[in-house]
Amino acid sequence: MRSSFDDPLQLRAVNAHVFCSRLFWLEYVAGEFVDNAHTLEGSHVHRRVDKPGGAMPAPHTPDESAENEGDDPWHTRSLWLSDDTSGLTGKLDLVDLVDEGRVMPVDTKKGKPTRDGELWEADRAQLTLQALLLKAHGYRVESIAAWYHGSRQRVVEVLTPEMETWALGHAMSARHTRSLEKPPAPLVDSPKCRGCSLNVVCLPDEVNALTGGGAHEEGEIRRVLVPDHDAVPVYVTESGTRIGLKQNMLKITPRRGSDMEPAEVGLGAMSQLNLMGGVQITTQAMQALLRRDVPVSFFSYGGFYYGRTQSATSRNVKVRIAQFKQAESPVALDIARTLIADKLYNARVFLRRHLPQGPESKRVLRKLTRIRKKAEKAESAEQLLGYEGEGARQYWSHFNALVQADDEAWAMQGRNRRPPRDPVNAMLSFGYALLVKDAQLAVEAAGLDAYLGVYHTAHHGRPSMALDLMEPFRRLIVDSAVYLMVRRGEVSPEHFVRSGQAVAMKTHARKALIAAYERRMTESVIHPLFGYAISYRRIIAVQARLLARVLTGEIEEMPNFRTR
């Protein structure tokens, strides 16, 4: 059996553990990492010390080595040291020669020291362990220092035996946390969470609210911080378009004779790239997108979602282990019941908002409520499937009446697909393909396997978990976008083409639907459970994270998402 000392503990991991044990677990056990402004700025201020350089004489012969290098005191940058006895390893930003053979580790920090001008505890622990590594290699160390870039200040502290014992205690505590199967509980109302890059993964206030770990009242939960909120999805819908790379821009060149204008899009302004039909993209452009973690999704011209490329899948293997363990378990059925009940609830909300008041609308609303309550108590996936189908029949008959209210050209022939046989079904199928794409991105970002669901059965090429996750959102996002497009006259029957029984969208309809879908995804709503304003795109990401927490056992029940 391997001991905790067989896997060396990184010194920066101890720094993270002192800052927050949950952050440490998520980053160094689960493998989660997300950049934010603080981490990017930290990388920037480290750009010089991250380059190896300088001189590092052997222990106890500094004067002799210094003579070899000249009269200036020596220092070395980016020095990696390990010690098997203590089980520690880490990279030292800088090691300075102090005098008479004494050396001092100096770490670079992007911020400022404490108000008292001292080292932060996390920094002190990391630097003390750096000093112990140097001692283990025979160097004499009597002080430690940090260079705080924010205040352009070097803070030096004398190393004491008490500090060494204290820092080793933190290392031992970090090893204990590393052995845990679940992450430690989140901090409660901590100001540290605001700037933490893993806030969107940790969901501290949301998890505390669901587990009773914080004394939150309605509306008190802090909004999840959204990274890269300025970056937007980009869609290229015209076959024959070529995409290449021009420095840090994607150069989009339409086919000859097209009405489209050439365009250039900055890589940093793009959250995802979606290609419809026969769009060509160069290897250089693909590599640049992968380097920036920008996923590229591929669709058929008609909107069928083929899949996507991305730089790497989530490293949080513990989530996938839990997902496979829970497949077809009572936990999976509980989650499925919640998702389908939410779908039925939100379908009722959609009809309540748009159906004219009268006996018929009251009848169908009551019917949907009864079906939803039955679904909440379903004893098997087969029973749940029956309730879902019963609710769908009620919903689609009235959705059809809504969209063709003023023009029979929008009449639906029931819900049909592959191929869609009327314009409304063509738009719905295309919109659901877009939603599958976003749900799959959220599911995989949460560490889940998109192809093993809790409700949809495993089937070749079917992203079952993404289909599960999107169930409560179908009516709120896609159906709502299609209905409003028809009502507002953003599309007309002339924007569709019929071939045999199949109906497909022309370019105008496709572009209009993409625009309507993206408007809906970026629309802010008040989260019914947590009480803060958040976009639908972020809600899907949050629900995916919470679903993963149910599978790993961190929270007991899948939280509902029901609109009012």
Side-chain angles (χ1 to χ4, degrees), residues 1-10 82-89 175 178:
M1 179 179 291
R2 291 170 64 83
S3 74
S4 60
F5 279 75
D6 292 329
D7 295 319
L9 185 65
Q10 293 189 42
S82 299
D83 176 37
D84 292 338
T85 303
S86 62
L88 297 172
T89 185
R175 285 194 182 89
R178 193 169 63 177

Side-chain angles (χ1 to χ4, degrees), residues 192-236:
K192 296 178 181 178
C193 299
R194 284 290 184 189
C196 178
S197 64
L198 288 190
N199 187 310
V200 293
V201 176
C202 173
L203 300 176
D205 286 11
E206 290 81 356
V207 171
N208 277 330
L210 295 170
T211 58
H216 295 286
E217 295 181 1
E218 186 175 1
E220 276 192 337
I221 296 175
R222 296 169 295 185
R223 179 174 178 268
V224 176
L225 302 181
V226 184
D228 299 328
H229 63 282
D230 292 331
V232 297
V234 172
Y235 294 82
V236 182

Side-chain angles (χ1 to χ4, degrees), residues 32 314 316-317 319-320 323 442-449 545 548:
E32 301 277 9
S314 169
N316 194 344
V317 69
V319 171
R320 288 192 285 280
Q323 180 185 3
V443 158
E444 294 187 351
L448 294 162
D449 187 324
R545 296 276 179 194

Side-chain angles (χ1 to χ4, degrees), residues 397-420:
S397 64
H398 289 82
F399 184 85
N400 179 35
L402 281 172
V403 291
Q404 66 167 321
D406 300 324
D407 189 345
E408 290 191 356
W410 299 113
M412 296 174 64
Q413 301 174 27
R415 174 73 184 114
N416 57 73
R417 56 182 181 165
R418 296 182 184 180

Side-chain angles (χ1 to χ4, degrees), residues 202-486:
C202 173
L203 300 176
D205 286 11
E206 290 81 356
V207 171
N208 277 330
L210 295 170
T211 58
H216 295 286
E217 295 181 1
E218 186 175 1
E220 276 192 337
I221 296 175
R222 296 169 295 185
R223 179 174 178 268
V224 176
L225 302 181
V226 184
D228 299 328
H229 63 282
D230 292 331
V232 297
V234 172
Y235 294 82
V236 182
T237 62
E238 190 169 289
S239 290
T241 302
R242 289 173 287 114
I243 301 176
L245 182 67
K246 181 181 178 183
Q247 295 179 338
N248 287 323
M249 311 277 283
L250 282 192
K251 185 178 180 180
I252 302 174
T253 307
R255 61 180 170 79
R256 186 173 298 174
S258 170
D259 294 333
M260 281 179 56
E261 295 292 330
E264 293 182 353
V265 183
L267 293 171
M270 197 180 308
S271 63
Q272 51 180 261
L273 178 64
N274 302 285
L275 308 180
M276 312 277 179
V279 177
Q280 306 293 320
I281 182 168
T282 66
T283 302
Q284 291 84 349
M286 187 70 81
Q287 288 174 346
L289 291 164
L290 292 176
R291 280 197 300 272
R292 289 176 173 265
D293 289 333
V294 178
V296 183
S297 298
F298 298 89
F299 298 80
S300 71
Y301 184 76
F304 183 78
Y305 178 51
Y306 291 132
R308 63 184 172 77
T309 60
Q310 67 171 35
S311 58
T313 56
S314 169
R315 291 172 290 181
N316 194 344
V317 69
K318 288 181 179 293
V319 171
R320 288 192 285 280
I321 291 173
Q323 180 185 3
F324 279 77
K325 281 183 178 177
Q326 298 291 4
E328 300 181 1
S329 72
V331 173
L333 180 59
D334 283 345
I335 296 172
R337 275 195 291 256
T338 300
L339 295 173
I340 298 305
D342 287 357
K343 177 183 182 179
L344 292 166
Y345 186 96
N346 292 333
R348 182 186 183 280
V349 169
F350 179 89
L351 294 180
R352 190 197 71 210
R353 288 175 178 172
H354 300 292
L355 280 178
Q357 293 186 356
E360 178 57 22
S361 63
K362 290 182 180 177
R363 186 196 67 77
V364 69
L365 295 181
R366 284 197 299 270
K367 183 77 173 174
L368 283 172
T369 299
R370 284 198 295 273
I371 297 170
R372 188 253 304 167
K373 289 181 177 178
K374 290 180 182 177
E376 289 173 341
K377 299 176 181 176
E379 296 179 353
S380 66
E382 292 74 19
Q383 201 174 64
L384 190 58
L385 186 65
Y387 294 135
E388 184 195 13
E390 189 180 352
R393 283 191 292 277
Q394 295 292 325
Y395 172 79
W396 287 118
S397 64
H398 289 82
F399 184 85
N400 179 35
L402 281 172
V403 291
Q404 66 167 321
D406 300 324
D407 189 345
E408 290 191 356
W410 299 113
M412 296 174 64
Q413 301 174 27
R415 174 73 184 114
N416 57 73
R417 56 182 181 165
R418 296 182 184 180
R421 299 194 294 274
D422 56 74
V424 173
N425 272 296
M427 289 190 288
L428 289 171
S429 292
F430 190 90
Y432 292 148
L434 298 179
L435 189 55
V436 168
K437 174 258 301 177
D438 283 318
Q440 186 167 348
L441 288 173
V443 158
E444 294 187 351
L448 294 162
D449 187 324
Y451 292 91
L452 179 65
V454 292
Y455 179 55
H456 287 81
T457 55
H459 188 274
H460 175 70
R462 174 196 281 169
S464 298
M465 185 60 87
L467 292 168
D468 290 344
L469 181 69
M470 65 186 263
E471 290 293 4
F473 300 97
R474 287 176 182 263
R475 313 300 176 231
L476 302 174
I477 297 174
V478 177
D479 297 9
S480 179
V482 170
Y483 172 69
L484 292 176
M485 285 174 63
V486 173

